[in-house]
Each structure stands twice: as structure tokens, then as C-alpha cells.
Amino acid sequence: MRRVENGILKRVNALQVGEATLWEHFKQGDEGAYALIYRRYFFDLYQYGKKISDDQDLIKDCIQDLFVKLWHNRENLNQTTSVKYYLFTSLKHKILDVLKSAAIRYKAAEDPLELDMADENAGDEVYDDQREDVLRALNTLSHHQQQLLHLKFNKQRTNQEIAAELGITIQSVYNAVFKALRSLRKQLH
């Protein structure tokens, strides 16, 4: 029994050493190690991302952005014993940052009191143009998407409250709000 346990422990340690060595080679600029990390973890990252968002394009974009950022900052990255855990954590933060920034931009564009303008008079023309752009973009959304955004940002309802009011699941609220914000973001950029 002890022999079997030792064999298992050796394989687990070899895997960890393998990951640590792979990570170290990647940090030193080894493009092969970088490509191997990408190939080894892309599918797992994609599956994990689907637990955070149903938007497949967003997940793929965030994974790509994550790997580009990793490559550019590889020399400053910490050593890790679990590349997979490091990547999962980084992807989660990346997706949540994108979702959060989209919601903040939408709210700032919709609510003039939230805008921080150094000179109120100088920004009036720019603000009017931005407001018109946002209103045009909002008008391209479906009635359901407009209603969700209104409840979420103007009425400041939680996802749970919106789900209860509209008789849909919380996940449906989250997905629909995200898709509406993504559509707005694409139109406004």
C-alpha cells in the first residue's frame, strides 16, 4: 500500500515540477513553453469562463487578452506551483473587470450626475454629443433589453429583484444585461 502511495505522490510531484519548470521557461521567454501553456489550458479556461459568462466571444477575447498580457509581463510574474490555478484566477478577474467596466461606462453615460467633469461648461457640448450617441445606441436594443437596463441602472434593482419582477432566472438577467451592455459598448466604440 505504501509503495502505491509513494508512486502516486511521485507522479503528483513530477506534474507540479513539470508545471513549475514550464512556467519558468515561459517567464524566460521560451515561446515553445508559452505555446504549450496556451494549448494545454485554453479549453479548461474556456469551460471555466462559461461558468462566469455565457458570452462565448467575451470569454475567448478575455483568454486572448490574458495570454497577451502574460507574454508582455512574463518577466515580472511570480513563480507558481499551479499554472492552471493562476490562469483561472487571472481569467476570472479579467472577465469580471470587463463586465464591471461596461456597467460603469453605461451608468456614467446615462446619469449626468455621475460624470466627473473638471469644467462643467466646457464639457457641455461633448456631453451632449455623447448622450445623443448613447440614446441612439439604446434605441437599437430590444424592448426587453431596454427594460432590464432601466431596472438595473435607473431603478438600481438587484439581479434578484429584476428576476422576481420579470419572472425569469437570475442567470437570465445577468446574461441579458451583459449582452445589452456589450452591444452598447460595440456601438459606442
Side-chain angles (χ1 to χ4, degrees):
M1 180 72 169
R2 188 173 286 291
R3 194 178 267 175
V4 170
E5 287 175 0
N6 287 340
I8 291 171
L9 287 176
K10 284 181 183 177
R11 276 182 266 153
V12 169
N13 287 336
L15 177 61
Q16 289 175 343
V17 169
E19 275 196 340
T21 303
L22 181 63
W23 188 253
E24 192 56 41
H25 283 277
F26 155 68
K27 286 179 52 179
Q28 293 172 4
D30 183 338
E31 292 178 7
Y34 176 67
L36 181 59
I37 290 170
Y38 183 86
R39 282 193 309 271
R40 183 180 286 179
Y41 294 108
F42 179 86
F43 182 76
D44 290 340
L45 286 166
Y46 180 74
Q47 294 302 318
Y48 178 71
K50 286 179 17 180
K51 293 178 182 178
I52 301 169
S53 172
D54 285 341
D55 187 339
Q56 296 175 7
D57 292 333
L58 170 82
I59 296 166
K60 290 175 187 175
D61 287 346
C62 286
I63 292 171
Q64 294 298 327
D65 289 348
L66 170 63
F67 274 94
V68 168
K69 185 177 179 181
L70 285 173
W71 181 255
H72 289 298
N73 297 315
R74 67 188 178 276
E75 295 169 353
N76 300 321
L77 298 174
N78 293 328
Q79 190 61 23
T80 183
T81 56
S82 175
V83 174
K84 186 176 185 176
Y85 178 78
Y86 185 91
L87 294 173
F88 275 34
T89 302
S90 299
L91 179 63
K92 179 176 103 177
H93 291 297
K94 178 78 176 151
I95 292 172
L96 293 177
D97 286 346
V98 169
L99 295 174
K100 183 178 178 183
S101 66
I104 289 170
R105 279 196 303 270
Y106 172 77
K107 186 170 183 171
E110 184 63 26
D111 187 354
L113 297 176
E114 293 293 321
L115 292 176
D116 182 24
M117 297 173 16
D119 180 4
E120 293 175 20
N121 295 329
D124 285 346
E125 253 182 66
V126 173
Y127 173 74
D128 288 341
D129 289 343
Q130 288 175 344
R131 184 170 175 82
E132 285 178 30
D133 291 343
V134 170
L135 291 175
R136 267 194 298 276
L138 281 170
N139 285 331
T140 66
L141 299 177
S142 70
H143 174 71
H144 179 68
Q145 288 175 317
Q146 290 178 15
Q147 181 184 24
L148 285 167
L149 293 179
H150 176 73
L151 291 171
K152 181 81 175 161
F153 297 107
N154 292 345
K155 299 288 185 181
Q156 298 182 344
R157 302 263 172 80
T158 65
N159 288 348
Q160 292 84 359
E161 292 169 336
I162 295 170
E165 186 172 328
L166 299 179
I168 59 178
T169 66
I170 294 170
Q171 185 64 41
S172 294
V173 171
Y174 176 80
N175 293 340
V177 167
F178 174 76
K179 286 177 183 176
L181 291 173
R182 187 185 69 188
S183 176
L184 288 175
R185 184 176 41 159
K186 283 181 181 177
Q187 292 181 51
L188 294 173
H189 286 285

